[in-house]
Amino acid sequence: MARLNWGMIGGGEGSQIGPAHRIGAGLDGHFTLAAGAFDVDPAKGVEFAGTLGVAEDRAYGDWRAMLEGETARDDRVDLVTVATPNATHYEITKAFLENGFNVLCEKPMTMTVAEAEDIVATARKSGRICAVNYGYSGYPMVRHMRAMVAGGELGRVRLIKAEFAHGFHANAADADNPRIRWRYDPQQIGPSAQFADCGIHALHMASFVSGQEAEELSADFVSCIASRTLEDDAMVSFRMSGGAVLRLWTSSVAVGRMHGLTLQVFGEKGGLSWEQEHPNQLYWTPVDGRTQIIERGAPDLSAAAQRASRVTIGHAEGMPLAFANIYADLAEVIMAEKESRSPDPAATHYPTALDGLRSMAAISAAVESANKSGNWTDARPPSFRG
Ligand code: NAD
């Protein structure tokens, strides 16, 4: 496949989600990061673009300059990712769509329903892609759940239980921390905090898997930390388009919960259960049957799950990220040598030839021991023996 040109708005240095986009877009080699307006501070954005290898004439100080610059080019970006704070999504996404660009916008797509209706209409009119980053739907086993439901394996879906409940904004003493406070400020975040930030991921997952959309809902919002005007915990019940009931719990004060994203789907013929913190296993219990574990990478998975499986069965889904860390360490040490400086000590833990030697010595010793009915055998390399 020919490489596509890709651009980013937001996702600057130190941002939470920018690196995940760059890793994700870079993984398969389909996209070259060709342009960007990465930061709310133009100078910082241009400087950061340089460190990412973006050419000087495509390192833009702000998104309007990027729109103008890219629109004028023959090799304009094929896709623009909008990873700025929520209040800016609408204006930027609309402008790029109107000028004929494909867009991947972070969630929540807009601040209001009217803006969202307008984005849908603008995308239709432009004929361009407007994707929204409900990234958890990319997990292979989530796609397999969807295939099982669509294939009728659960029969009619009766109940769905979705949770996205973590505990990282639970400390009242931390409520005024600027990194947390904006998330509960209606001016910056809109009329909902926790439900808009995390609850909509759980809702999207429930719809994605069940094929049913929300028709009616009953919500109970609370602010467990009194200084917050917006909710930090919500319990929402939905009546779904296909007759299922969805119970959704989202929280940022559930101390001890980590990412806390889980999905259970209960049908006439059986139930499915999946947890994002253990993404490789899907639990399937046929009615009156035993619970079975469906492993990511198994040969009989749906085509959608197979396409999304990048590592062989048994390896954790994040395994390529561990490889990326080895490359990052090597890059730091090589760069440090070129720049005549000491490398970051944290980058020096990559395995070396010594580890290779120790492994070879262990293999040799294991073979020797096995051949001698398990005799204790020196496993050290010869050069390490006294
Ligand atoms: P952040 O505050 O950590 O980073 C925002 C970045 O955007 C910063 O680099 C900032 O300088 C830059 N920026 C701000 N305004 C800009 C502008 N006008 N032009 C160019 N750059 C600008 O925020 P974050 O946590 O990375 O969140 C960004 C968006 O991603 C939010 O909408 C958030 O809801 C979403 N998000 C999505 C997921 C997901 O799973 N899909 C996860 C986390 C965050």
Side-chain angles (χ1 to χ4, degrees), residues 163-170 183-184 194 197-198 232-233 249-261 277:
E163 296 181 349
F164 197 156
H166 66 80
F168 293 105
H169 303 158
R183 295 175 177 280
Y184 299 91
Q194 182 58 20
D197 193 33
C198 295
D232 51 24
D233 184 285
W249 175 43
T250 187
S251 186
S252 67
V253 295
V255 183
R257 300 261 309 205
M258 296 293 131
H259 211 222
L261 175 61
E277 286 165 45

Side-chain angles (χ1 to χ4, degrees), residues 296-373:
R296 186 202 42 74
D300 57 347
L301 295 187
S302 58
Q306 294 294 9
R307 176 177 153 72
S309 286
R310 286 157 183 286
V311 287
T312 48
I313 187 167
H315 284 294
E317 193 63 37
M319 181 260 232
L321 299 185
F323 280 30
N325 290 337
I326 305 280
Y327 279 102
D329 290 350
L330 294 174
E332 163 62 8
V333 174
I334 293 168
M335 282 307 291
E337 194 193 1
K338 282 181 192 283
E339 293 167 2
S340 306
R341 61 175 174 82
S342 304
D344 177 349
T348 57
H349 302 297
Y350 57 87
T352 69
L354 264 185
D355 299 290
L357 168 62
R358 289 194 183 99
S359 305
M360 296 316 296
I363 295 168
S364 168
V367 171
E368 193 182 325
S369 170
N371 288 339
K372 291 183 185 160
S373 308

Side-chain angles (χ1 to χ4, degrees), residues 8-23 37-40 44 48 52 81-85 106 179 182-183:
M8 273 194 94
I9 300 165
E13 191 169 20
S15 65
Q16 188 193 164
I17 210 64
H21 279 283
R22 286 186 284 276
I23 292 168
F38 294 95
D39 207 288
V40 68
K44 272 180 71 183
F48 186 55
L52 296 172
T81 294
V82 179
T84 51
E106 263 304 346
R179 289 202 52 236
W182 73 268
R183 295 175 177 280

